Amino acid sequence: MIKAGASGYGEESYPFRRDVWSRPPVLESIIVQGLIRGGVYALLAVGFSLIFGVARMINLAHTCFYMLAAYAIYYLANRLGLSPALSVIPALVATTLIGVGTYKVFIDRVREHHVTVLLITLALAMVFQESMVLAFSSEPLGAPSFVSGYWQVAGVKVSYKELLTFGTAVVVLIGVWALLTHTRLGIAIRATAQDSEVANLMGINVSRVLLVTMGIAAALAAIAGIVVAPMWSVEPRMWTHPLVMVMAIVVLGGLGSVKGSFIGAFVLAFVEVLVVFIRPEFAFLRGPVALLVMVVILLFRPEGLFGVAFEEERL
Amino acid sequence: MFRRVLRDFQGDVLAIPGRLIALVFLVVLLIIPAATSQPFVLRTLIFANVFVIFAVSWDLLSGYTGQLNFGHALFFGVAAYTSALLNLRLGLAPWATIPIGALAGVTAGLVVCLPALRLRGPYLSLVTLAFPLILLGIVITFTDFTGGEYGVSGLDRISSSRTADYYVSLAVALASVMIMWKLTDAKSGLVRTGIVFHAIREDEIAARASGINTIMYKLLAFAIAGFFAGIAGALHAHFLRIAGPSNLDLTLSFQAIIWTVFGGITSIYGPVVGVYVLYPLMEFVLRDIAEYRFLVFAGIVVAMLLFMPEGIAVWIRDKMERECPRCKLPNMAFRKTCRACDTRLY
Amino acid sequence: MLRRLTYFVVACCLVVPLVLSACTGEEEANVIKVGVIGPMQFVQGEHHWYGATMAAEEINAAGGVMIGDEAYTIELIKTDSNEILNPADAASAMEQLITVDGAHFAVGGFRTEGVFAMQEVAMDNKTIFLGCGAATEELCTRVAEDYDRYKYWFRVTPFSNVNLVSNSLLTLGLAGGIMQKGLGLPGPLKVAIVAEKATWADAMVAAYQQYIPAMLKMEVAGVWRPSNTATDVTAELTAIEDSGAHLILTVLSGPVGIPFARQLGELEIPAASVGINVEAQKDGFWEATDGYGNFETTLNTYAEGLAITEKTVPFFNKFMERFGQTPTYNAGTYDALYVLKEAIERADSLDADAVVSALEKTDTTTTAGRVVFMGKDTKTPHDVTYGPGYVTGIATQWQDGEMKAVWPNLGVGEWEGITYEGVVMWQIPDRVIKAYTGQ
């Protein structure tokens, strides 16, 4: 038993740290961290994949909606003083509107030219980034948490925020799946993704479907930004790394396959987390390693894990 | 004989507005050092010349063969680092390190081409995106060898004065653009590559069916683009006297695309115009409004893409020139009849 | 013919963006132009500008700089180097500052790669450049290698990164000592090193791995290298907790410093964090970490109520009052301008070589301590001298929303009896106390 020191922490003896385990719970930590990151990436990747499947469009500004929503939460909670819970809806709505508006004004008219779409979304991403720099400066900011505290499970500490993120991702993604498989709108979306000409002939309003899909994708990205803002940091360049990861995920899963994106998100998230745990001195390499995995998989299966070579099946 | 050259000149160059402008522009570029002694202006132009080579090489690869390369900075960076390390560690002179750097660019091009052969469209683009990022990770890992994020600095100059540097860059740029132009010219009787590249872009299966070995030509495209992007990279390293991770940056790859599409894709003069308009714009004009620089730049790009998606040079050229329907000769747009075959131009 | 003329005119118009030469400023009488060059979009560049502005105004109000019998006013030229995002831009910016704007002197700089590039340009033009941001030793070893070329470079702040190792180890010793005594921890303490993946940190990590066991008798539990722009380090922190570390020694300068501190607090990782965390030097840190960055300790230069010399508190208060922010070490441009003024007056001329010789004789009191530049015969000439009696730097800890100076202090972890007025006791983080005592 150890005697306390003279600094006034009590004269009774006390034991070692209560929570020291005999074996550090590395595997559990990896699983938990992988699931949480995977959830965030899945939210982003599914939206990106939807847009590609339906509009055949690679939207390089997709993760910018993630950034805009994060800034919106920061602004509403820190600058205007609203409570975090109240800020969610305005942030979500505003970002979705910006997403749909951007599509309508800038992208819709050049939809046919793929290179132009790529570039215009890239330029728009730069516009969004620089606007945030001008409005909020380049310094990293933090939004206040929705919930604080953490939960200890199997020797791993999971903050409630991380649980919220994961829970939100799961709920939202189930909602998207339900939307796509059980509603008329969902069927219209899938039909347009499979063959937009025939869908048009069948009476589906293709341009309306495109607009709605864009809105759903922006909303998904916004939700990701909202849950991430209090967890990670908010800064004008926060959209670049997720964009690269999302593209790697979507390619890995098979472009246009929502199921593929979902699974790919978790695969690459686990790759990232494994790098940090197994070789912590190479933690900074987690992005490049995930990309390397993507390249290798594409070498052996060019259409990705779930993309079918003839691009028939999408879900 | 001199009279014949003069007459050819009058017919083939002066009569066609596009070529006349190009000639005037070239003359201006040649005499600029006499007009201004500001080292800053020359510095900007030197880099513009370097980036012209870079952008044109992108156009050759992506514009002409249709394989959109999102990681063109890989060739630039590989060559920059190679020539920098050769110069610093082995003491080789720039006139040796630059060609070797370009060869390293060729190697990088072939390495990227291998997976690219199996892929199409967006998959290909995204894989090309991955390569420079992976290399960046390797560069940062082996800091002792590559200098980490500080890069390799203290390289030799190319020549002893800013003006000489300028003329070197201009000469290399001119030569490179000319060669790449010839290689992509569909009407050339000398080399087949031009028309084959067009064919691969338009319909690869038909090209294969016609007996063209598309795999070889794709490799060739990557190799040529890698070579010239490598020249640009090595030159850049020696002008700036430093080669660093920013040479592999995502934004550099995107710049090549922006410059080319701004000027006009699948035309060699497009990227040239794109670079010479946008790069000095960013450096000179927009420096006064430093915070808004990138915003204005991005805004210009968006506006251009919405209203002139074929590129500004192509748009201007279409306004100035018209092709004769019968003999296919370019003519000034205002003419009523073709200057060669006298057919009515509409 | 008219058409050809039109096309010629069009061609010339296309050339306009190229031939835009800025006007060379006329030489005004009795004005000393000092360029303040830094990343103006970021707090480092802003503070370069603020510090320099305060000094220039004070000097001009007090009569300016005396050369012979004539009074010269200082005119500052604000230049954005954009070095954080693109070091190549920094070189162009420096060139424009010197050749187009006509600056006689330059102060500032922050990011090492940018400063290397700017240094080259300044040396090409034989312009005196006073560094106020980059700590890399090599910037000054160049002066030793090629004195005639690089002699125009002097570093006013910060001191060389080699000394950052000493200060970090001393702070670690202080914190470890207080923790061991306060919590009655037996045996050697375990230290986890968290260093962003960056070249400047590599040498420091290697040094720590050697000196922590040798000098402090502590164990290194592991080395984690996140990317300096990482937004999430919960994986690293979980692994650190699993390793049983009591202390974390940080080497962080990038934005990762914020999620690191925040997640450390939120997850109540039972380890105290000391070292270098540049984000924790900024006022915005508290809000950015939502208060969870409490107890974060970092090396620093200024703190409220801290009086290193008689100039420190007046400078600090005036800066705070005028700009509403705590000055970072980049605001040392204030000191740089005074050092420059004294040197110009000592040399009685604006000639670069004369001022260089005068600068070498500098021995003056600034806000950060006593500034003397190291001599030609040392390994790093023109570097600011570090050590007791000269410039030592401090460490600050966030305590309930305020940055307090906690090192150098007397008592546990004392260093050659050095302390300054305004230094308070370092506090053990609540989460650590809770983990070890259950309270």
Side-chain angles (χ1 to χ4, degrees):
Chain A
M1 294 305 221
I2 308 100
K3 278 268 184 217
S7 58
Y9 283 117
E11 293 287 18
E12 321 117 50
S13 8
Y14 50 87
F16 272 109
R17 270 170 50 186
R18 297 173 303 159
D19 50 1
V20 168
W21 295 73
S22 49
R23 170 190 68 84
V26 172
L27 186 64
E28 290 86 337
S29 301
I30 292 176
I31 293 177
V32 168
Q33 288 298 316
L35 286 176
I36 292 163
R37 285 200 96 98
V40 175
Y41 284 147
L43 279 173
L44 290 169
V46 165
F48 189 86
S49 195
L50 271 176
I51 302 179
F52 182 80
V54 174
R56 285 286 179 279
M57 193 174 89
I58 294 189
N59 182 5
L60 292 176
H62 183 66
T63 47
C64 281
F65 303 132
Y66 159 84
M67 171 186 76
L68 288 174
Y71 267 108
I73 284 279
Y74 166 81
Y75 179 72
L76 290 168
N78 280 26
R79 300 284 179 94
L80 291 185
L82 292 175
S83 81
L86 267 180
S87 334
V88 170
I89 303 287
L92 182 59
V93 168
T95 312
T96 310
L97 284 176
I98 293 179
V100 174
T102 312
Y103 172 77
K104 198 90 190 87
V105 172
F106 295 104
I107 302 173
D108 202 23
R109 61 173 92 183
V110 290
R111 207 157 50 83
E112 304 295 316
H113 306 108
H114 296 287
V115 181
T116 313
V117 169
L118 278 168
L119 279 181
I120 212 173
T121 52
L122 177 64
L124 284 169
M126 281 178 67
V127 169
F128 287 134
Q129 177 182 295
E130 290 303 310
S131 311
M132 290 300 109
V133 170
L134 286 171
F136 295 103
S137 98
S138 296
E139 300 295 330
L141 305 166
S145 323
F146 299 118
V147 284
S148 42
Y150 61 93
W151 182 44
Q152 200 139 4
V153 58
V156 180
K157 280 181 177 167
V158 185
S159 68
Y160 286 137
K161 270 198 301 230
E162 294 177 306
L163 281 177
L164 181 67
T165 304
F166 182 66
T168 311
V170 168
V171 166
V172 168
L173 287 168
I174 290 180
V176 168
W177 176 80
L179 178 83
L180 287 172
T181 48
H182 289 98
T183 63
R184 282 173 56 119
L185 175 64
I187 294 178
I189 291 177
R190 284 162 60 203
T192 317
Q194 276 192 357
D195 195 333
S196 58
E197 282 164 12
V198 172
N200 197 12
L201 289 172
M202 290 283 138
I204 294 175
N205 185 341
V206 169
S207 46
R208 202 165 69 92
V209 166
L210 289 177
L211 211 63
V212 170
T213 311
M214 193 67 207
I216 295 177
L220 286 173
I223 293 174
I226 290 170
V227 289
V228 156
M231 211 165 66
W232 301 347
S233 329
V234 181
E235 43 118 21
R237 275 161 201 95
M238 65 191 280
W239 59 279
T240 44
H241 177 70
L243 181 67
V244 170
M245 291 306 294
V246 161
M247 292 199 290
I249 289 167
V250 163
V251 165
L252 176 65
L255 272 165
S257 161
V258 173
K259 181 170 76 165
S261 305
F262 183 79
I263 298 189
F266 285 97
V267 167
L268 284 183
F270 273 101
V271 167
E272 275 200 342
V273 173
L274 278 169
V275 169
V276 172
F277 271 83
I278 294 180
R279 297 230 62 61
E281 64 272 20
F282 290 130
F284 62 97
L285 276 180
R286 48 186 173 191
V289 169
L291 286 174
L292 192 62
V293 168
M294 176 194 87
V295 172
V296 167
I297 296 207
L298 280 179
L299 274 176
F300 296 108
R301 205 181 146 78
E303 60 275 7
L305 291 175
F306 291 95
V308 179
F310 283 45
E311 292 199 297
E312 273 172 355
E313 210 192 70
R314 208 90 356 153
L315 223 64
Chain B
M1 203 215 88
F2 180 67
R3 198 161 309 182
R4 181 135 58 99
V5 168
L6 197 62
R7 202 182 47 209
D8 279 346
F9 181 69
Q10 200 182 12
D12 273 340
V13 179
L14 287 183
I16 304 170
R19 294 190 192 173
L20 179 64
I21 292 178
L23 182 67
V24 169
F25 185 68
L26 185 61
V27 168
V28 167
L29 279 182
L30 282 168
I31 62 173
I32 268 190
T36 167
S37 55
Q38 293 278 3
F40 183 62
V41 171
L42 284 182
R43 166 193 273 270
T44 308
L45 287 175
I46 290 175
F47 287 117
N49 292 338
V50 167
F51 289 130
V52 159
I53 307 175
F54 184 57
V56 173
S57 71
W58 187 84
D59 195 21
L60 184 148
L61 177 61
S62 305
Y64 281 87
T65 64
Q67 306 173 90
L68 291 177
N69 185 353
F70 269 53
H72 210 57
L74 177 75
F75 313 140
F76 190 91
V78 163
Y81 268 102
T82 307
S83 69
L85 289 169
L86 285 173
N87 182 247
L88 202 67
R89 304 288 162 91
L90 296 181
L92 293 179
W95 56 261
T97 65
I98 293 178
I100 301 181
L103 289 177
V106 172
T107 318
L110 295 172
V111 167
V112 174
C113 187
L114 292 174
L117 286 172
R118 299 197 64 183
L119 302 167
R120 298 273 174 284
Y123 291 102
L124 184 144
S125 302
L126 295 177
V127 161
T128 56
L129 184 76
F131 273 95
L133 295 174
I134 294 174
L135 188 65
L136 204 53
I138 296 176
V139 161
I140 301 283
T141 311
F142 294 105
T143 306
D144 297 327
F145 183 60
T146 64
E149 72 273 10
Y150 294 155
V152 183
S153 60
L155 306 177
D156 291 334
R157 295 210 141 90
I158 296 215
S159 68
S160 49
S161 81
R162 181 62 59 85
T163 318
D165 274 354
Y166 172 73
Y167 280 116
V168 168
S169 72
L170 187 60
V172 176
L174 197 59
S176 309
V177 171
M178 282 286 140
I179 297 176
M180 284 193 272
W181 178 48
K182 269 296 153 203
L183 286 173
T184 55
D185 191 7
K187 301 197 189 95
S188 164
L190 263 166
V191 278
R192 269 211 323 170
T193 49
I195 199 157
V196 170
F197 288 157
H198 278 287
I200 293 176
R201 183 185 74 252
E202 296 287 333
D203 194 337
E204 190 177 338
I205 297 180
R208 287 245 283 272
S210 311
I212 297 175
N213 185 351
T214 56
I215 293 184
M216 188 184 87
Y217 278 94
K218 280 187 179 179
L219 281 168
L220 197 62
F222 268 97
I224 298 172
F227 180 79
F228 284 106
I231 296 250
L235 273 179
H236 186 270
H238 279 285
F239 282 129
L240 198 59
R241 302 184 67 200
I242 188 170
S246 58
N247 294 352
L248 285 166
D249 204 35
L250 200 59
T251 42
L252 184 61
S253 300
F254 286 156
Q255 286 280 52
I257 306 177
I258 291 176
W259 286 322
T260 306
V261 175
F262 182 83
I265 201 173
T266 321
S267 70
I268 295 296
Y269 59 88
V272 173
V273 170
V275 172
Y276 279 120
V277 168
L278 289 179
Y279 185 73
L281 186 76
M282 272 295 266
E283 295 293 307
F284 286 136
V285 176
L286 297 184
R287 194 168 276 278
D288 294 328
I289 43 164
E291 303 106 61
Y292 299 97
R293 221 158 45 128
F294 291 106
L295 191 60
V296 171
F297 178 76
I300 292 176
V301 173
V302 170
M304 197 275 311
L305 286 169
L306 283 178
F307 302 116
M308 275 190 271
E310 65 273 15
I312 199 168
V314 175
W315 187 81
I316 291 182
R317 191 184 182 196
D318 281 344
K319 293 274 175 288
M320 286 193 313
E321 289 179 12
R322 196 165 306 158
E323 210 181 52
C324 167
R326 190 165 146 200
C327 66
K328 303 284 183 240
L329 219 57
N331 278 283
M332 257 195 275
F334 293 123
R335 288 185 69 100
K336 294 233 170 51
T337 57
C338 171
R339 59 197 166 98
C341 62
D342 222 24
T343 339
R344 277 185 66 85
L345 301 172
Y346 300 103
Chain C
M1 198 46 221
L2 189 64
R3 283 174 222 144
R4 296 222 183 141
L5 211 60
T6 322
Y7 291 128
F8 189 76
V9 169
V10 168
C12 290
C13 288
L14 270 181
V15 155
V16 159
L18 297 185
V19 199
L20 252 165
S21 358
C23 52
T24 51
E26 300 106 44
E27 279 302 312
E28 292 159 42
N30 290 16
V31 168
I32 302 177
K33 293 190 177 181
V34 178
V36 181
I37 183 164
M40 294 297 166
Q41 306 283 350
F42 293 81
V43 78
Q44 291 88 352
E46 279 178 6
H47 284 210
H48 280 145
W49 179 248
Y50 292 159
T53 307
M54 267 174 64
E57 286 172 3
E58 281 175 19
I59 294 174
N60 287 339
V65 183
M66 298 303 296
I67 302 181
D69 291 325
E70 308 211 352
Y72 283 69
T73 49
I74 297 183
E75 181 190 308
L76 295 178
I77 306 173
K78 186 176 184 182
T79 311
D80 187 356
S81 62
N82 201 30
E83 58 202 272
I84 292 183
L85 299 175
N86 186 1
D89 275 355
S92 319
M94 178 63 99
E95 191 170 66
Q96 200 177 32
L97 177 66
I98 297 175
T99 59
V100 176
D101 299 323
H104 301 109
F105 305 98
V107 302
F110 170 67
R111 186 180 168 192
T112 304
E113 304 92 295
V115 178
F116 273 127
M118 292 192 280
Q119 191 189 46
E120 293 293 328
V121 174
M123 300 304 117
D124 283 343
N125 289 281
K126 297 199 189 322
T127 306
I128 291 178
F129 182 21
L130 301 179
C132 297
T136 313
E137 195 186 32
E138 202 193 315
L139 284 164
C140 295
T141 55
R142 286 185 173 185
V143 184
E145 287 160 19
D146 188 351
Y147 179 77
D148 287 317
R149 175 174 162 77
Y150 289 97
K151 65 184 178 190
Y152 305 96
W153 159 268
F154 287 81
R155 173 154 61 209
V156 175
T157 179
F159 43 71
S160 167
N161 54 0
V162 167
N163 304 312
L164 292 175
V165 171
S166 314
N167 281 11
S168 293
L169 288 171
L170 288 164
T171 322
L172 186 63
L174 179 126
I178 292 178
M179 262 178 75
Q180 197 146 32
K181 207 164 142 203
L183 301 174
L185 300 170
L189 294 179
K190 285 184 166 179
V191 180
I193 301 177
V194 175
E196 66 187 28
K197 180 54 184 171
T199 314
W200 71 279
D202 287 345
M204 294 179 72
V205 170
Y208 291 147
Q209 286 176 299
Q210 190 190 352
Y211 292 123
I212 288 178
M215 281 171 49
L216 294 175
K217 308 279 183 281
M218 298 181 188
E219 274 174 37
V220 175
V223 178
W224 283 263
R225 311 289 308 263
S227 145
N228 78 338
T229 50
T231 51
D232 173 47
V233 289
T234 39
E236 285 88 334
L237 288 170
T238 318
I240 289 173
E241 176 165 2
D242 294 344
S243 75
H246 304 95
L247 290 152
I248 301 177
L249 186 58
T250 56
V251 189
L252 304 172
S253 75
V256 65
I258 291 191
F260 169 79
R262 181 178 185 158
Q263 290 159 4
L264 186 69
E266 281 174 335
L267 291 174
E268 296 192 344
I269 306 285
S273 158
V274 302
I276 299 173
N277 185 347
V278 171
E279 287 296 328
Q281 296 171 350
K282 303 178 188 171
D283 290 320
F285 178 78
W286 188 257
E287 189 191 74
T289 58
D290 206 18
Y292 287 104
N294 204 12
F295 304 111
E296 181 74 0
T297 310
T298 176
L299 298 187
N300 211 337
T301 320
Y302 302 110
E304 176 126 29
L306 176 76
I308 304 175
T309 67
E310 70 268 13
K311 284 191 168 186
T312 317
V313 172
F315 164 73
F316 185 94
N317 290 341
K318 202 165 150 190
F319 193 97
M320 195 57 152
E321 196 185 303
R322 182 161 168 184
F323 303 112
Q325 298 177 32
T326 308
T328 61
Y329 70 97
N330 302 104
T333 44
Y334 178 89
D335 291 331
L337 267 131
Y338 272 102
V339 163
L340 189 61
K341 165 190 184 272
E342 287 173 19
I344 295 175
E345 288 182 342
R346 211 166 21 241
D348 220 18
S349 130
L350 281 177
D351 170 54
D353 286 345
V355 179
V356 165
S357 305
L359 278 169
E360 287 175 341
K361 300 190 185 70
T362 304
D363 187 347
T364 179
T365 307
T366 64
T367 61
R370 176 178 162 209
V371 168
V372 173
F373 294 116
M374 293 173 70
K376 276 189 246 185
D377 47 331
T378 61
K379 185 176 167 200
T380 54
H382 295 186
D383 205 351
V384 60
T385 311
Y386 161 84
Y390 294 92
V391 174
T392 62
I394 58 167
T396 53
Q397 183 183 39
W398 280 91
Q399 296 179 353
D400 290 324
E402 288 179 355
M403 249 194 287
K404 296 277 185 212
V406 290
W407 177 87
N409 205 354
L410 303 170
V412 176
E414 187 180 292
W415 182 44
E416 308 217 11
I418 305 269
T419 189
Y420 302 116
E421 194 188 309
V423 173
V424 304
M425 182 79 158
W426 183 81
Q427 288 179 1
I428 307 177
D430 290 338
R431 60 179 188 268
V432 176
I433 300 174
K434 189 165 129 184
Y436 283 92
T437 64
Q439 288 153 18

